[in-house]
Amino acid sequence: MIKRTLYFGNPAYLSMGDRQMVIDLADAESSAPPGKVSVPVEDIGVVILDSPRITLTQPLLNALLENNVAVVTCNAKHLPSGLFLPLEGNTVQAERFQSQMNASVPLKKQLWQQTVQVKIHNQAKLLAQQGKDTEPMEYWKKNVRSGDPDNYEARAAAFYWKHLFGQLQLNEFTRGRFEGGPNVFLNYGYAVLRAVIARSIVGTGLLPTLGIHHHNRYNAFCLADDLMEPYRPFVDRLVLNLPGIACNDFELTKEVKAKLLEVPVLDVIIDGKKSPLMVASQRTTASLNDCYEGTSRKILYPEFS
């Protein structure tokens, strides 16, 4: 079953009752119907809190974490800034932690090679859909070596961002967390994607902190940052199709947020079959665990056809 993504952008009181999230809207100007609404906690996958006047009770927070719900908080600029996940997400977690920590350097380098290859493949396919030349991308994809010592990921990214938004009347697009233009949409979409991937990692019983390539003493989600790489072009395509972007309208409105919150239910192709992105992410993390346990040598990622 596809889990629901709930977004709260208005004042609300969120509590727990009979295994349901009870939503009490506290603002008469809210666009939602007045009064209380209940949603089964087991149906929820992601909760996004985007108002300084939201109250969430401790019993509800515990219930959300027990059901492996990713709870995302937003800052004063309405951009996702924090992520809550359960410490215990799987009944055999200790065993899987051990397998993950014992993974050899050659295995992690091979897994990163696969990750980069699929990421470049998906980027090239999206560029091709925009009528762009992808010959350099194809070369880099075919020549990625174990661990990507030639840094083809960065070369492909530079080429990709140079051409992806070519139809927009921008002087020059620079990809970055604090840059302007479409970056505000990309950052929001990637934050939702990161929450979905992190949720799947914890649900599989793996440590989101221990990555296969990314490593940063201040980053608690290095593995999520690794595994989301091939998924990023799906967010990029969603951003390209946002209404108003062709007119250089980069305001993060409620309507734009609603479109970006569709990330978990985007249709993707993984292992030859169509699947919602949230379900695909669970297959990705499960296949990674198989690699750690030695029963497989390949991570399953969605690919543009």
Side-chain angles (χ1 to χ4, degrees):
M1 181 182 69
I2 303 175
K3 299 291 185 176
R4 298 178 61 178
T5 298
L6 301 183
Y7 170 83
F8 297 95
N10 291 295
Y13 184 86
L14 309 178
S15 60
M16 189 69 186
D18 296 327
R19 301 303 299 170
Q20 308 262 327
M21 172 192 278
V22 180
I23 305 166
D24 188 359
L25 300 174
D27 190 348
E29 297 180 358
S30 171
S31 59
K36 296 182 179 180
V37 179
S38 297
V39 180
V41 173
E42 62 184 14
D43 293 346
I44 305 171
V46 180
V47 172
I48 299 179
L49 307 175
D50 188 14
S51 171
R53 295 174 58 195
I54 293 176
T55 299
L56 188 148
T57 66
Q58 180 72 5
L60 174 61
L61 182 59
N62 285 334
L64 293 173
L65 296 179
E66 287 173 3
N67 283 270
N68 195 26
V69 177
V71 181
V72 180
T73 60
C74 296
N75 59 23
K77 296 181 179 179
H78 305 287
L79 294 174
S81 60
L83 175 62
F84 294 93
L85 285 170
L87 292 176
E88 297 180 354
N90 192 284
T91 55
V92 291
Q93 193 170 46
E95 295 176 14
R96 296 190 171 180
F97 279 5
Q98 197 64 49
S99 297
Q100 182 180 5
M101 290 186 290
N102 291 339
S104 66
V105 172
L107 172 61
K108 289 190 284 188
K109 286 186 175 182
Q110 292 168 11
L111 296 176
W112 182 241
Q113 175 189 23
Q114 295 176 31
T115 301
V116 172
Q117 286 176 324
V118 179
K119 178 183 180 181
I120 296 176
H121 169 85
N122 287 344
Q123 288 177 326
K125 288 293 185 180
L126 183 54
L127 285 181
Q129 292 175 7
Q130 307 301 312
K132 308 297 183 181
D133 175 38
T134 62
E135 183 176 353
M137 303 283 285
E138 298 297 336
Y139 173 83
W140 292 323
K141 181 185 73 173
K142 292 177 182 178
N143 288 278
V144 176
R145 294 186 290 155
S146 179
D148 190 23
D150 305 297
N151 205 14
Y152 283 139
E153 182 205 13
R155 297 192 204 184
F159 182 90
Y160 176 74
W161 292 119
K162 181 179 179 181
H163 295 88
L164 183 63
F165 292 108
Q167 82 277 21
L168 303 183
Q169 299 302 312
L170 303 174
N171 292 330
E172 184 178 353
F173 175 75
T174 301
R175 170 67 196 131
R177 289 182 60 190
F178 305 106
E179 303 293 336
N183 281 291
V184 65
F185 301 151
L186 294 169
N187 295 339
Y188 197 95
Y190 291 158
V192 176
L193 173 62
R194 194 178 192 231
V196 171
I197 299 295
R199 174 184 179 276
S200 295
I201 289 171
V202 171
T204 299
L206 298 175
L207 274 168
T209 306
L210 190 59
I212 57 178
H213 175 75
H214 285 89
H215 57 279
N216 186 320
R217 64 188 299 181
Y218 305 109
N219 185 358
F221 299 100
C222 288
L223 186 56
D225 291 339
D226 286 331
L227 300 186
M228 69 184 283
E229 294 292 355
Y231 284 85
R232 288 180 184 267
F234 293 96
V235 176
D236 302 341
R237 182 170 62 180
L238 182 61
V239 169
L240 280 170
N241 293 324
L242 286 174
I245 194 170
C247 303
N248 290 359
D249 182 0
F250 304 124
E251 183 181 356
L252 192 60
T253 63
K254 289 184 178 180
E255 292 74 21
V256 169
K257 289 180 183 178
K259 292 296 294 183
L260 294 173
L261 289 173
E262 294 177 4
V263 167
V265 297
L266 291 176
D267 282 333
V268 301
I269 303 296
I270 184 168
D271 200 22
K273 299 179 181 178
K274 183 182 290 188
S275 170
L277 186 145
M278 180 177 283
V279 176
S281 71
Q282 295 165 0
R283 297 198 62 187
T284 295
T285 55
S287 67
L288 174 60
N289 179 68
D290 291 340
C291 293
Y292 285 147
E293 293 183 345
T295 59
S296 176
R297 302 289 291 186
K298 181 181 179 182
I299 306 181
L300 292 177
Y301 284 120
E303 297 186 33
F304 277 86
S305 56

